[in-house]
């Protein structure tokens, strides 16, 4: 059951719960393993949240975002961004970069001492690359946390649920059938339609399998949908053989698009992130089970739809400007839950910051490990994410049994 709010707000049955009224002291995922949906095994355990989140060692968590946690996450992000600006084929003095960053602040004027070539390298290549990596990583991480909250499934992820594959298919189709002559706004629109379609198809297949399939049912449906959509995408690629190298480079992920891509993705990122963060409390209420959420006046179907659309928009925007970069939405939210707490009021904002830092560091590795050649960033995230996924899957299956 839900814990009473310290502020004493009324969350009695029948009292509507809104974005500003959800219980800040509500149970975090994994708090009550007996309130979820009965899977038919007689245990009454919610395989989407309860025992699985408990296996993560979270238990009952404070629902408020600690200033110390926020400060630590921001420090890690700033350090990652500074490292991303420093490291590259051409070295730039750390002091010069630091002074130049200070010079860009309002009402501050200092001489960085950077040569024109170094300043151009910093402003036209490295800075937009770091910013794009931060935006894409943050979007993928917060989308993964949102999907996990909507489906109450710790294995939910934009790339495991068919969202990224759907976005990739429709984006490829738009490029192929327009000969690459498509307006900037058309790419995110096509990607959004594909992302929503992929998730809905995976969810429909997972639901058709019934409740007894366990936590992995939805993931297996997502894998099937992803394979099917990827096959169609591969077929479309063959229609433009001359563009195969560019298409494959896009599939493996790239955040070197420059300021044009940063400008393109920024509005979609702002809308999706704001919507997701405003629903953190409602996802906490939803995590205790639909029955209890309804008694609190929560419209569970509407919350799921809004968060699903926002997470799909975030995924679509990321895919449209960076290609397919997997596992960010799976790894980051799980790490955040272990380190900071399981409440979505904590998981969503810290995942946003952590995802940004994670992808900046992954891009840093991609740029340096084979220098002067560049490794696709999707390869780096896969090296980290694939073993992590196996570990999470083993924990999930062990708890369910």
């Amino acid at each position: 059951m839900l814990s009473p709010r310290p502020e004493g707000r009324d969350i009695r049955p029948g009292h509507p719960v809104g974005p500003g009224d959800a219980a800040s002291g509500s149970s975090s995922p994994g708090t009550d393993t007996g309130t979820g949906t009965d899977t038919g095994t007689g245990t009454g355990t919610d395989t989407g949240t309860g025992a699985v989140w408990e296996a993560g060692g979270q238990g009952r968590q404070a629902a408020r975002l600690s200033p110390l946690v926020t400060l630590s996450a921001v420090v890690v992000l700033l350090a990652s961004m500074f490292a991303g600006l420093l490291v590259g084929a051409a070295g730039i003095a750390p002091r010069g970069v630091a002074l130049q960053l200070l010079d860009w602040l309002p009402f501050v004027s200092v001489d960085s001492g950077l040569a024109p070539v170094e300043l151009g390298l910093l402003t036209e290549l490295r800075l937009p690359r770091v910013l794009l990596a931060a935006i894409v990583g943050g979007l993928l991480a917060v989308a993964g946390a949102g999907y996990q909250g909507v489906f109450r499934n710790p294995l939910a992820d934009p790339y495991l649920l068919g969202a990224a594959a759907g976005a990739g298919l429709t984006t490829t189709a738009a490029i192929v059938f327009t000969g690459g002559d498509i307006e900037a706004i058309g790419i995110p629109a096509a990607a959004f339609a594909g992302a929503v379609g992929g998730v809905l198809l995976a969810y429909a297949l997972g639901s058709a399998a019934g409740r007894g399939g366990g936590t992995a049912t939805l993931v297996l449906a997502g894998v099937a949908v992803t394979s099917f959509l990827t096959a169609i995408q591969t077929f479309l690629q063959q229609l433009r053989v001359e563009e195969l190298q560019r298409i494959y480079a896009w599939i493996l992920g790239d955040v070197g698009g420059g300021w044009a891509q940063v400008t393109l993705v920024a509005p979609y990122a702002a809308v999706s992130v704001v919507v997701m963060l405003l629903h953190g409390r409602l996802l906490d209420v939803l995590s205790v089970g639909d029955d209890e959420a309804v008694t609190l006046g929560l419209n569970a179907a509407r919350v799921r739809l809004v968060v699903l659309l926002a997470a799909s928009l975030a995924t679509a925007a990321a895919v449209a400007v960076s290609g397919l970069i997997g596992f960010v939405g799976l790894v980051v939210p799980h790490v955040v839950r272990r380190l900071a707490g399981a409440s979505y009021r904590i998981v969503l904002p810290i995942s946003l910051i952590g995802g940004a830092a994670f992808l900046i560091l992954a891009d840093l590795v991609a740029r340096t490990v084979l220098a002067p050649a560049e490794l696709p960033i999707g390869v780096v995230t896969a090296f980290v994410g694939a073993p992590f996924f196996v570990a999470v899957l083993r924990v999930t299956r062990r708890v369910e049994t």
Side-chain angles (χ1 to χ4, degrees):
M1 295 297 291
L2 293 175
S3 304
R5 290 196 61 179
E7 295 90 338
R9 289 195 178 186
D10 185 5
I11 56 170
R12 292 171 296 175
H15 181 72
V17 179
D21 297 327
S24 63
S26 59
S27 297
S28 302
T31 298
D32 184 356
T33 60
T35 58
T37 303
D38 189 348
T39 60
T41 61
T43 63
T45 300
D46 183 351
T47 60
T49 54
V52 172
W53 302 122
E54 190 72 37
Q58 294 303 326
R60 187 177 297 273
Q61 299 288 342
R64 292 197 175 277
L65 186 58
S66 166
L68 179 60
V69 171
T70 305
L71 179 61
S72 300
V74 171
V75 168
V76 171
L77 174 59
L78 293 178
S80 302
M81 296 180 71
F82 190 69
L85 294 176
L86 287 180
V87 178
I92 302 179
R95 181 178 181 274
V97 174
L99 291 177
Q100 184 60 50
L101 293 176
L102 289 176
D103 186 57
W104 285 332
L105 295 177
F107 312 111
V108 177
S109 179
V110 296
D111 182 13
S112 65
L114 295 179
V117 174
E118 293 176 323
L119 184 59
L121 176 64
L122 181 65
T123 57
E124 298 300 326
L125 293 179
R126 293 188 185 174
L127 182 59
R129 181 169 189 139
V130 167
L131 290 178
L132 187 60
I135 293 173
V136 171
L139 288 178
L140 293 177
V142 79
Y147 283 132
Q148 291 165 15
V150 166
F151 297 118
R152 290 186 294 170
N153 190 315
L155 299 176
D157 169 80
Y159 288 82
L160 296 177
L161 290 178
L169 170 61
T170 51
T171 301
T172 300
I175 295 174
V176 167
F177 292 121
T178 62
D181 184 19
I182 182 173
E183 295 182 2
I185 194 174
I187 294 179
F192 176 66
V196 174
V199 172
L200 292 179
L201 182 57
Y203 185 67
L205 290 178
S207 299
R211 294 181 180 179
T215 304
T217 302
L218 178 62
V219 176
L220 294 176
V223 170
V225 169
T226 297
S227 299
F228 176 71
L229 297 180
T230 302
I232 300 177
Q233 182 182 3
T234 302
F235 170 75
L236 293 179
Q237 292 168 9
Q238 303 305 313
L239 299 180
R240 290 181 62 89
V241 179
E242 68 278 7
E243 298 289 346
L244 276 182
Q245 183 175 359
R246 184 170 67 90
I247 293 177
Y248 278 123
W250 176 79
I251 290 176
L252 292 175
D254 178 43
V255 290
W259 287 112
Q261 300 292 63
V262 174
T263 304
L264 173 63
V265 73
Y268 304 97
V271 172
S272 58
V273 167
V274 168
V275 172
M276 296 280 287
L277 295 182
L278 289 177
H279 283 75
R281 292 181 176 183
L282 301 185
L283 287 176
D284 279 341
V285 178
L286 190 63
S287 68
V288 301
D290 285 4
D291 291 340
E292 290 198 19
V294 169
T295 64
L296 296 174
L298 180 68
N299 189 330
R302 183 173 62 185
V303 172
R304 283 198 173 94
L305 177 61
V306 172
V307 176
L308 177 65
L309 291 176
S312 298
L313 177 61
T315 301
V319 170
V321 298
S322 67
L324 303 180
I325 302 174
F327 294 104
V328 179
L330 176 68
V331 172
V332 176
H334 276 280
V335 173
V336 170
R337 286 189 183 94
R338 284 189 172 273
L339 297 180
S343 168
Y344 282 97
R345 294 176 63 187
I346 299 173
V347 172
L348 289 173
I350 301 303
S351 292
L352 178 68
I353 300 173
F358 174 76
L359 201 61
I360 290 173
L361 294 176
D363 181 55
L364 191 61
V365 172
R367 285 189 282 143
T368 57
V369 68
L370 294 179
E374 185 173 314
L375 188 68
I377 191 172
V379 175
V380 178
T381 58
F383 268 117
V384 176
F388 190 92
F389 172 72
V390 173
V392 173
L393 183 60
R394 290 188 62 184
V395 171
T396 301
R397 291 177 62 87
R398 183 166 61 247
V399 171
E400 287 181 355
T401 55

